[in-house]
Amino acid sequence: MILRLLNRACVLSGSVRLKSTLSTFFDEMGKSGIILKSATTGIFENLALEDWIHDHVDLQNRSMLLLWRNSPAVVIGRHQNPWQECNLPLMRRLGIPLARRRSGGGTVFHDFGNINMTFFTSKKKYDRHRNLKVITSALKALRPDLEVAATDRFDILLNSHYKISGTAAKLGRTSAYHHCTLLCSVDRSVLSSVLKSNTSEVIKSNATPSVPSPVRNLLDVDPTLDSDTIMNAIASQYSNEFGFDGPVITVDPTHEALMPGIHKMAQDLQMWEWIYGRTPKFSVCSSLVVDDVTVKLDMDIKNGAVEQCAMEIPEDWLPSEMVNEFTSALNGSKYCPNEAAVLVAAFTRTVSVTADVAEKIHRLCAGVVSVM
Amino acid sequence: MVRSVPPSLIHHGMLRAASGPRRRCFRCCAVRAAVRSVHPDDMLSRSRCLTRSLGRSISALRQGNRALARRATSGISASQCVSVKSGPSCETRSSVYQIRYFNTTTAHRNEVITVKTPAFAESVTEGDVRWEKAVGDTVSEDEVVCEIETDKTSVQVPSPAAGVIEELLVPDGGKVEGGTPLFKLKKGAGAAKTTAAAPPPAAETPPPPAPPAAAAAPVGGPIPTSMPPVPPVPAQPIQSKPVSAIKPTAAPAAAAADPDAGAKAARSEHRVKMNRMRLRIAQRLKEAQNTCAMLTTFNEVDMSNITQMRTQYKDAFLKKHGIKLGFMSAFVKAAAYALTDQPAVNAVIDDTTKEIVYRDYVDISVAVATPKGLVVPVIRGVEGMNFADIEKTINELGEKARKNELAVEDMDGGTFTISNGGVFGSMFGTPIINPPQSAILGMHGIFDRPVAIAGKVEIRPMMYVALTYDHRLIDGREAVTFLRKIKSVVEDPRVLLLDM
């Protein structure tokens, strides 16, 4: 049994508790404020944990704080365009996954030096400023001369200039959650290179944009501040601020028996249709240079799939029927490098071409894929 | 079909809700009294006994079949609403509630409501709308229709009732303030969608048992809407024989909300346009079949030696190279060896210039079936590779695919293809040549079979292999020798070293 109570030596045994889920466990505890810590560092499992708690736990008379950290990942907001927000080819090379969360807001980079905090409350008790006050008070209690303050855009600024925390929230029917990040010791070079898109100039979209800001780690200002210290400080400040006396419980988001349905939620969050397919409609308008020839590319993408594709290529470089066939091969396909490559490869197999035309088609495809 | 129904139950051509509270009939706008104070002939009046009322409701439904046909659309959804609101304690009475609300919903059938933006929290003034549903989508009560993004917060806007989205009043990404009209909802379930005859996967309730239902499928011929489905599954918990028996004769309900449509509509069909890529590939395959003189030769391979080699070396291989040792490397290398030995199989006929093109290099395409169709990544220059190199290349291609970095160059070209039907359990089969190549090797499943070895019967793991080749270019003798070479290499890899 994974559920542990840190300040009580009580371990729930599987046979007794199999019938109950995490929400009934909270009901039985009877506490009005509970602090949870996630036992894993997978971004999808943790996002699924947030959603599960939001959907299944009764928050009318209870509030909760969830503290979690992830291995490197980029998380975009619910209505954002990943091609506009981050450098996807770089992320693929570095093996950094992309996730889309269910709350709004902008794009963030997570790694082990970043603490995530989710405040679960009922809709009536939803108060983001109070939540941020918990964080700033906790930090000030640790280091009184630290200059941290929350803005009315719900960011937390260090020395009034550097952003150390961003916020996003989701309001359901009866309950709500507000989550935010806190930069303690994040790898800033990776952060800045990954969050800088390589194709933003060619994209026209009305997706929610991110507002880039200069960032700083708390570790840069005070090398003695590490994530664990900060997490404990925030946990105790939360109890103080809201007058709770609940324990800190560690939860394993992969424990399906305790949280039925959570595995499927994590799977759904990893599907291409969710991460990329939920992008609001956008269009790509780019001029590629392939073999010293300028190719003008126009694509409309809806639900992550190419709805319409048009290319302008000089007739002497490639015959126009070939170009038309090429663009019609891409129509309806996912806006994804693998898929485009597969389609173009299948396309070249169906036409008998000379070797140099085949090579031109390869290079053209490489150019098109560079914007995906 | 409709037998004589007590006149009390038919009102303006509709089967009147026999056990409902006061309802307004939309035809005559007269207020009808509730059951309890009404008609002496009313079959369902004053019946508190569940089974009796059930029995009566069943016969009422059966008799009122055609009348119900036209109205049940709305009736069903309303009763679904009822079952949702009533909660589990009322399930046992839901069949009675079914009838109760038929009348009601017909009254509201054409009501279109405008849903406004909810008020925003914390003095926020405006937000962006992101649509989840489109015009024409059927939504149930409380299903999310759109999300409004205000200042880093995502607020869901649920549908106040079940119905069909009629109009979206704000474009996707448009700005709204609290109180701005968002969309128009036509109450009542799927009236617009009843013409969709194909059985849509109804997510609301699980399908009731089909057997008695399927038999009496399309009862009541001239039904203007779709095929006659069943009353919905609020009846489910009661599961008694009579309840399932009413299904076939009961009126059609909203096709969109119909769980039993699967059983009934099994006879309809739906058409999907072939996409261009599929058409082109089909055309090319047929062209190849018409120009090539295609035929297949078979052989069988004893996999015991290679299996033993693999078991003996797999751990050390994993340790040294960091990847697993599989069977593909043996077959790929065997094919390369045989191709260098029989260059005709590695060649191709150029139909335009009527030349045979012989190639000095061996690029082997490995056919992989994916949901999107056939993908053929190519291993280049196999003639110079050993088993470890081949496994590494296969692994790299797999990694590229996983990381979404496959390029066209990785999948184009190839002088020979290997296709493995064995992963799906195939025993024996004829692969089809992948144009513009001249031959293809098909591997099949490994099954234990009794074989004769040195005059005795032994059980060996055997695999059938097939070579489909173009007879214009490759003679029978060459094809058979080629396949035998592959067999000898896989059965004893030392042949490679000895160059036999």
Side-chain angles (χ1 to χ4, degrees):
Chain A
M1 199 67 168
I2 311 296
L3 200 61
R4 283 183 274 117
L5 301 167
L6 288 181
N7 58 354
R8 284 196 344 220
C10 158
V11 175
L12 296 168
S13 68
S15 54
V16 169
R17 292 291 181 173
L18 264 179
K19 286 221 176 109
S20 69
T21 64
L22 195 64
S23 58
T24 53
F25 172 68
F26 290 147
D27 293 337
E28 284 163 18
M29 267 182 76
K31 299 282 184 189
S32 54
I34 300 174
I35 302 176
L36 297 172
K37 257 192 185 166
S38 170
T40 66
T41 54
I43 178 69
F44 300 106
E45 285 81 21
N46 284 326
L47 286 173
L49 177 63
E50 263 190 337
D51 289 334
W52 195 93
I53 294 176
H54 179 69
D55 289 342
H56 292 96
V57 177
D58 178 14
L59 292 162
Q60 292 317 304
N61 303 315
R62 189 185 294 125
S63 299
M64 302 211 303
L65 169 66
L66 173 68
L67 295 162
W68 42 296
R69 284 194 283 172
N70 301 309
S71 46
V74 172
V75 183
I76 53 175
R78 173 76 177 78
H79 307 290
Q80 290 202 295
N81 183 328
W83 291 277
Q84 214 177 15
E85 298 295 335
C86 47
N87 191 335
L88 291 171
L90 178 62
M91 282 166 61
R92 284 179 207 130
R93 272 203 300 282
L94 295 174
I96 296 178
L98 175 69
R100 182 187 294 264
R101 57 177 189 264
R102 293 193 196 271
S103 55
T107 306
V108 284
F109 173 72
H110 290 184
D111 71 13
F112 290 113
N114 170 62
I115 302 176
N116 297 300
M117 296 151 282
T118 311
F119 297 87
F120 294 94
T121 55
S122 65
K123 231 169 155 180
K124 285 205 253 328
K125 299 210 183 104
Y126 175 67
D127 186 349
R128 286 178 287 180
H129 280 300
R130 202 169 174 197
N131 296 336
L132 292 178
K133 199 166 121 211
V134 166
I135 303 171
T136 49
S137 317
L139 290 172
K140 286 223 176 72
L142 273 179
R143 302 280 181 274
D145 46 339
L146 207 58
E147 200 197 315
V148 288
T151 66
D152 21 306
R153 281 205 76 232
F154 307 104
D155 294 334
I156 299 183
L157 295 182
L158 178 65
N159 300 338
S160 313
H161 184 55
Y162 296 105
K163 183 170 166 179
I164 56 168
S165 164
T167 275
K170 175 156 180 246
L171 293 172
R173 272 202 320 283
T174 51
S175 44
Y177 65 80
H178 160 218
H179 53 200
C180 46
T181 56
L182 188 63
L183 294 174
C184 303
S185 51
V186 164
D187 187 338
R188 285 205 353 239
S189 58
V190 176
L191 186 153
S192 46
S193 53
V194 150
L195 291 185
K196 190 161 152 31
S197 162
N198 56 324
T199 53
S200 51
E201 317 87 54
V202 303
I203 294 181
K204 273 199 285 283
S205 134
N206 66 357
T208 317
S210 287
V211 177
S213 331
V215 294
R216 196 115 265 213
N217 280 317
L218 284 169
L219 201 74
D220 297 336
V221 176
D222 186 338
T224 58
L225 278 176
D226 67 293
S227 313
D228 287 308
T229 323
I230 297 177
M231 284 213 281
N232 290 333
I234 292 174
S236 51
Q237 185 63 26
Y238 178 75
S239 300
N240 287 347
E241 170 79 27
F242 291 95
F244 298 140
D245 65 340
V248 179
I249 304 173
T250 303
V251 177
D252 180 358
T254 58
H255 198 127
E256 178 78 17
L258 201 57
M259 292 171 281
I262 198 168
H263 184 71
K264 180 163 188 304
M265 282 173 151
Q267 295 295 98
D268 288 343
L269 284 167
Q270 290 180 62
M271 295 186 59
W272 196 93
E273 286 73 22
W274 171 256
I275 300 177
Y276 296 94
R278 289 299 218 172
T279 310
K281 190 166 175 186
F282 66 101
S283 61
V284 172
C285 185
S286 146
S287 269
L288 310 162
V289 176
V290 181
D291 280 358
D292 303 330
V293 168
T294 311
V295 174
K296 209 162 136 346
L297 178 65
D298 267 296
M299 288 193 276
D300 287 331
I301 292 115
K302 189 172 164 194
N303 294 334
V306 176
E307 206 179 34
Q308 221 207 36
C309 174
M311 271 197 257
E312 262 177 48
I313 298 183
E315 177 75 33
D316 53 355
W317 194 71
L318 257 187
S320 58
E321 323 87 56
M322 183 114 340
V323 174
N324 287 341
E325 295 288 349
F326 187 89
T327 51
S328 64
L330 287 176
N331 268 352
S333 74
K334 284 188 191 162
Y335 192 60
C336 158
N338 266 4
E339 191 127 330
V342 166
L343 283 169
V344 176
F347 160 70
T348 47
R349 278 209 301 279
T350 61
V351 289
S352 34
V353 288
T354 57
D356 53 295
V357 172
E359 272 183 26
K360 283 182 185 170
I361 293 181
H362 287 188
R363 285 197 283 273
L364 181 61
C365 183
V368 170
V369 162
S370 68
V371 293
M372 288 189 181
Chain B
M1 203 72 63
V2 178
R3 290 196 227 104
S4 61
V5 182
S8 57
L9 276 181
I10 300 288
H11 178 77
H12 288 169
M14 307 179 288
L15 182 71
R16 189 168 61 80
S19 62
R22 285 169 174 266
R23 289 292 165 203
R24 189 178 293 270
C25 161
F26 89 108
R27 286 270 191 100
C28 72
C29 290
V31 176
R32 295 282 157 196
V35 183
R36 307 209 172 92
S37 58
V38 108
H39 267 286
D41 291 345
D42 195 323
M43 287 205 307
L44 289 169
S45 66
R46 291 184 196 135
S47 164
R48 310 251 180 210
C49 170
L50 178 66
T51 46
R52 252 187 295 150
S53 59
L54 251 183
R56 285 172 189 165
S57 62
I58 288 155
S59 43
L61 277 173
R62 212 179 281 130
Q63 290 167 351
N65 178 27
R66 199 185 300 153
L68 273 177
R70 279 175 235 116
R71 304 296 170 201
T73 314
S74 25
I76 299 308
S77 71
S79 58
Q80 280 178 333
C81 279
V82 172
S83 57
V84 167
K85 285 187 191 139
S86 312
S89 55
C90 296
E91 267 166 2
T92 47
R93 303 186 58 199
S94 54
S95 74
V96 179
Y97 282 111
Q98 275 184 72
I99 316 168
R100 170 197 287 242
Y101 277 97
F102 280 154
N103 223 352
T104 320
T105 348
T106 50
H108 292 141
R109 194 170 186 233
N110 295 321
E111 186 181 327
V112 174
I113 51 171
T114 302
V115 178
K116 296 203 169 62
T117 318
F120 298 140
E122 289 180 336
S123 74
V124 173
T125 47
E126 62 171 21
D128 300 335
V129 178
R130 301 281 175 198
W131 292 106
E132 300 274 317
K133 301 279 178 191
V135 176
D137 282 350
T138 306
V139 291
S140 48
E141 193 179 330
D142 277 346
E143 201 176 336
V144 174
V145 177
C146 67
E147 285 198 5
I148 303 197
E149 189 164 3
T150 70
D151 194 18
K152 308 182 185 183
T153 306
S154 190
V155 184
Q156 294 177 320
V157 178
S159 172
V164 177
I165 309 273
E166 193 161 284
E167 195 188 337
L168 301 179
L169 301 168
V170 184
D172 188 78
K175 299 221 179 296
V176 290
E177 297 178 0
T180 311
L182 271 180
F183 65 95
K184 288 204 175 119
L185 176 78
K186 185 168 177 171
K187 273 195 183 172
K193 288 199 119 187
T194 48
T195 46
E204 271 134 338
T205 40
V219 171
I223 298 170
T225 53
S226 61
M227 69 293 164
V230 298
V233 208
Q236 182 90 346
I238 316 182
Q239 274 315 353
S240 45
K241 278 261 159 53
V243 176
S244 41
I246 42 170
K247 289 183 184 72
T249 53
D258 179 32
D260 207 38
K264 295 321 172 29
R267 296 207 50 92
S268 70
E269 56 183 39
H270 73 283
R271 289 167 172 260
V272 175
K273 195 109 182 124
M274 276 177 86
N275 68 43
R276 289 196 69 158
M277 190 50 59
R278 192 167 265 268
L279 278 168
R280 297 187 60 97
I281 293 174
Q283 197 185 12
R284 184 85 165 126
L285 273 178
K286 237 7 222 171
E287 235 174 68
Q289 231 181 20
N290 291 340
T291 47
C292 276
M294 250 193 254
L295 65 152
T296 312
T297 170
F298 297 94
N299 218 310
E300 59 180 13
V301 180
D302 185 340
M303 300 294 284
S304 11
N305 278 347
I306 197 100
T307 316
Q308 189 266 334
M309 180 184 94
R310 189 164 162 259
T311 350
Q312 187 175 353
Y313 287 101
K314 69 174 180 193
D315 294 327
F317 190 90
L318 181 59
K319 207 159 151 199
K320 176 166 182 198
H321 298 286
I323 45 178
K324 285 169 75 167
L325 176 62
F327 288 127
M328 275 314 278
S329 47
F331 280 93
V332 170
K333 186 62 191 170
Y337 179 68
L339 283 167
T340 41
D341 192 62
Q342 302 274 352
V345 189
N346 200 35
V348 77
I349 293 183
D350 185 344
D351 286 299
T352 46
T353 57
K354 304 277 181 276
E355 288 172 331
I356 302 176
V357 184
Y358 290 95
R359 292 166 296 200
D360 299 327
Y361 53 89
V362 175
D363 289 347
I364 297 198
S365 329
V366 180
V368 177
T370 64
K372 265 289 173 175
L374 192 64
V375 174
V376 259
V378 182
I379 309 174
R380 306 217 182 255
V382 189
E383 71 278 12
M385 288 189 181
N386 61 34
F387 282 35
D389 299 324
I390 295 171
E391 287 292 350
K392 279 200 191 116
T393 319
I394 295 179
N395 201 47
E396 263 164 34
L397 286 166
E399 271 297 300
K400 271 187 153 184
R402 207 181 49 82
K403 279 181 153 186
N404 209 343
E405 282 183 329
L406 268 182
V408 187
E409 291 80 28
D410 297 325
M411 289 181 282
D412 198 27
T415 58
F416 184 75
T417 306
I418 298 184
S419 133
N420 191 351
V423 295
F424 308 113
S426 130
M427 183 193 83
F428 206 75
T430 57
I432 187 168
I433 295 179
N434 190 11
Q437 295 170 1
S438 302
I440 176 170
L441 174 73
M443 294 162 57
H444 298 281
I446 304 175
F447 299 106
D448 279 341
R449 265 195 282 125
V451 286
I453 296 190
K456 290 216 265 300
V457 173
E458 289 186 24
I459 307 283
R460 292 290 175 91
M462 302 295 287
M463 178 201 279
Y464 283 118
V465 288
L467 178 77
T468 302
Y469 60 99
D470 182 355
H471 208 302
R472 298 177 299 161
L473 180 55
I474 304 165
D475 297 332
R477 187 181 62 124
E478 284 166 335
V480 173
T481 320
F482 178 87
L483 201 53
R484 280 204 71 92
K485 250 214 163 48
I486 293 190
K487 173 188 161 84
S488 62
V489 170
V490 176
E491 285 184 346
D492 188 353
R494 296 175 296 189
V495 164
L496 286 170
L497 288 170
L498 299 169
D499 198 6
M500 307 287 283

